[in-house]
Amino acid sequence: MQETYPRPARTILEAQVALARQGISPGSIDGVWGQSTRLAVLAFQEREGLSRTGELDEPTRARLLLERPAITTHVVDPDDFLGLQALAPTWAGKAQQPALEHETLLERLAERTKASPGLLQRLNPEVDWDRLRAGAVVRVPDAACPAPAGPAAYLVIRLSEKWVRAYDAGGRLLAHFPCSIAARAEKRPVGRMEIVTVAENPNYTFDPAMFPESEEGRALGRKLILPPGPNNPVGSAWIGLSLPGYGIHGTPHPERIGRTESHGCFRLTNWDAAHLLRLVRVGMPVEVEP
């Protein structure tokens, strides 16, 4: 039977895709209900003026529409394999690599489609990801969202709920992203800051002083410059804040977003950091709430 669109999202997977298309990120799309999806639903309900239940209740489903199927197909292209390389296990080894690219095709396609690798494996149970070649067809989420209509006016970071949100000058929600925050409470700043730098595909300075737990860092006793790439420690985007050493950035580990584990910065998935980069500007205010 032919589906008719638009129609309400019926499943958790469809809801995650519908939210992601609107710039309201559920984190890695995996078809599983969790805290990041609940926070995204709350953000959608707030923006739409619905009761903030945090659940996919009937009023929310009626407003959360799919304009096209949630799943599409991707034909594997030779370019999909460019630059794939094993990631060195040490800081010194990473500093010697030409780039910190994806290691596998599964990792690359998962990141490009905002999905968890596990979801892609479930959508394609017959696929041997280690043997895929150009021309193969795989099923992936269709979670692309349009380019922002314009820049945001300000950002809000809420530590207790672990999210970053962008608003326009009228206070309307433009985008929502789950984030990770500092593991240590004293590393969680509260108050007003400003954006002082923005960088796409940044390199990363490994400073042993910032990683006292690293035996390798203690032995090195010097800083290292790591090349850009999605597996760079700050991922594919860096938004520096006016508090020295703090920023909003991507991560090579999207599945860990929403946890309390960073050294102080605010981590987003690489795709969310790239989206946020298109909304911000130097001088933009950032309010960090408890």
Side-chain angles (χ1 to χ4, degrees), residues 164-229:
V164 177
R165 291 183 181 175
Y167 294 87
D168 68 15
R172 178 172 171 77
L173 178 69
L174 297 178
H176 160 96
F177 313 106
C179 75
S180 294
I181 63 173
R184 294 164 56 187
E186 66 271 19
K187 292 285 188 178
R188 302 173 199 162
V190 174
R192 186 185 174 99
M193 304 180 199
E194 289 186 352
I195 293 173
V196 295
T197 58
V198 294
E200 186 175 8
N201 293 320
N203 60 24
Y204 176 77
T205 300
F206 171 72
D207 183 353
M210 297 296 294
F211 294 86
E213 73 280 8
S214 171
E215 183 178 343
E216 181 193 1
R218 294 193 299 272
L220 276 171
R222 60 185 175 86
K223 296 180 181 180
L224 297 171
I225 303 297
L226 276 59

Side-chain angles (χ1 to χ4, degrees), residues 4-29:
T4 301
Y5 294 89
R7 66 164 175 79
R10 296 172 183 148
T11 65
I12 294 171
L13 175 58
E14 288 186 345
Q16 289 175 333
V17 169
L19 290 162
R21 287 175 180 174
Q22 299 187 42
I24 299 178
S25 173
S28 291
I29 295 172

Side-chain angles (χ1 to χ4, degrees), residues 155-159 181 188-193 241 266 285-290:
L155 303 183
V156 176
I157 300 173
R158 184 166 295 169
L159 298 173
I181 63 173
R188 302 173 199 162
V190 174
R192 186 185 174 99
M193 304 180 199
L241 302 176
F266 306 103
V286 178
E287 190 69 30
V288 182
E289 301 177 347

